[in-house]
Amino acid sequence: MDERVYTVAVAPSKYHRFIIRSIITKQALNQSRYYSEIFGDRFEHFDDMSPVSNDEQSIKATLLAYRDGLNTASVENCIGLYSSQGMCMPQHAPASTGRSELTTCYQNFFNMLKFDVEFDIKEVHVFTDTWAFARTTSAGTTTLVQNGQKNHEANQELFVMEKEQGKWKIARYCFCTTNPPK
């Protein structure tokens, strides 16, 4: 199915304009007549709408590469996705800043846990040419390396992204569990 990102504008009055950015399929785009009937002249449809910037797609690719780094226990791949002064802020632990501290942080993660998780990217917002944030949830299992015990894993994450040398990198990463306390 062909999915493209389009911007659709709906102005409820001449004084207000809301821009709704969404991923819609060609089928939904063809249903724009339906929206025209509902919103009347307040609905603007542009056949020549151009896709939204590739920044959101690049950020999503970085987040999925990070997931892959976790699932393969690759310190190098995870650290390579951070900005030069990137910071990881895990729940119940001090923040780790910069390559050296991040390397130690991820070595400790992977010495304790084996990850098998999926990310659900809930939102990505690009604010400037070099700053954005993303919110995700993740779920799956972690296995304790020491004894092989598997646990259900569920988190919510917030990523502050920074563009360095033309690539979106993780500048700040914070997560907390959504599992209820045992």
Side-chain angles (χ1 to χ4, degrees), residues 19-84:
I19 302 297
I20 302 166
R21 193 180 285 174
S22 61
I23 296 176
I24 55 177
T25 63
K26 281 185 179 179
Q27 178 184 4
L29 189 58
N30 290 336
Q31 293 175 351
S32 65
R33 285 187 210 97
Y34 168 76
Y35 296 111
S36 290
E37 291 171 13
I38 292 173
F39 295 109
D41 61 359
R42 296 175 298 170
F43 177 80
E44 297 177 29
H45 174 265
F46 303 96
D47 288 327
D48 63 342
M49 290 185 292
S50 59
V52 173
S53 161
N54 287 329
D55 286 335
E56 288 179 28
Q57 293 170 355
S58 296
I59 290 168
K60 288 178 181 181
T62 299
L63 297 175
L64 295 177
Y66 178 74
R67 176 212 54 204
D68 295 343
L70 288 177
N71 287 336
T72 59
S74 174
V75 173
E76 297 80 21
N77 288 351
C78 288
I79 301 308
L81 297 169
Y82 276 86
S83 65
S84 59

Side-chain angles (χ1 to χ4, degrees), residues 142 144 149-152 179-182:
T142 53
L144 294 174
Q149 179 185 349
K150 289 191 178 210
N151 296 300
H152 173 71
N179 285 335
K182 292 182 181 181

Side-chain angles (χ1 to χ4, degrees), residues 124-139:
V124 174
H125 295 280
V126 178
F127 289 103
T128 69
D129 291 342
T130 56
W131 289 99
F133 84 84
R135 183 177 64 89
T136 65
T137 58
S138 60

Side-chain angles (χ1 to χ4, degrees), residues 105-117:
C105 176
Y106 281 90
Q107 286 172 339
N108 291 338
F109 282 161
F110 298 143
N111 286 336
M112 290 188 314
L113 300 169
K114 174 158 179 26
F115 293 87
D116 184 10
V117 296

Side-chain angles (χ1 to χ4, degrees), residues 8 11 17 19 34 57 75 100 113 121 133 159 164-165 171 180-181:
V8 177
R17 177 173 295 274
I19 302 297
Y34 168 76
Q57 293 170 355
V75 173
S100 177
L113 300 169
I121 301 169
F133 84 84
F159 294 86
E164 280 188 346
Q165 299 173 1

